[in-house]
Amino acid sequence: QVQLVESGGGSVQSGGSLRLSCVASGYTYSAIRMAWFRQAPDKEHEGVAAIDTNGKTTYADSAKGRFTISQDNAKKTLYLQMNSLKPEDTAMYYCAADYRRYYVGALMLRMGDFPYWGQGTQVTVSS
């Protein structure tokens, strides 16, 4: 059974930084792709960044230049380094993973591409 456990959220002031982590367990091999999504109050889920097993990445426009997604396959851990945080980044951040053997097409930020989800970690950015 796959488990994804996020950590690293918290409260910071605008312009600050946070590093989110997501530890995966339950599979002997690494996920073919993993991603970070977020959901702000009264808003739908939004894709933030994704990475595949080859290190290919994709980012939402709102994250480009400020956020960096990375992974440590040996530790089965996904990271999201968030710099220059803004109040509009306030949301619950979720880690998501796909453990199928391969995927077809481009690496995209679509919720349906990631069957497994963590419980989330809250990020609050104050102005």
Side-chain angles (χ1 to χ4, degrees):
Q1 183 176 351
V2 174
Q3 275 197 319
L4 302 173
V5 180
E6 303 96 334
S7 63
S11 296
V12 296
Q13 289 191 326
S14 182
S17 298
L18 284 174
R19 188 194 196 202
L20 306 184
S21 299
C22 170
V23 178
S25 62
Y27 266 87
T28 57
Y29 56 90
S30 299
I32 189 70
R33 52 188 171 180
M34 297 188 75
W36 290 98
F37 288 81
R38 67 186 182 185
Q39 186 175 27
D42 300 323
K43 292 188 177 181
E44 295 189 354
H45 281 86
E46 172 191 20
V48 177
I51 187 168
D52 70 13
T53 191
N54 294 316
K56 182 177 181 180
T57 59
T58 190
Y59 293 89
D61 287 343
S62 59
K64 288 178 182 176
R66 299 188 301 126
F67 295 0
T68 303
I69 190 170
S70 62
Q71 61 192 353
D72 184 330
N73 288 330
K75 294 182 179 179
K76 296 184 179 179
T77 302
L78 179 72
Y79 303 100
L80 184 68
Q81 178 66 45
M82 305 188 295
N83 299 326
S84 302
L85 283 162
K86 304 174 182 180
E88 50 263 45
D89 294 317
T90 294
M92 185 72 78
Y93 283 71
Y94 298 90
C95 168
D98 177 8
Y99 282 89
R100 287 168 287 198
R101 288 295 187 175
Y102 63 92
Y103 71 93
V104 178
L107 178 65
M108 298 180 72
L109 294 169
R110 292 183 301 208
M111 292 178 62
D113 288 347
F114 301 91
Y116 299 99
W117 289 69
Q119 293 300 307
T121 185
Q122 177 68 37
V123 171
T124 302
V125 184
S126 58
S127 57

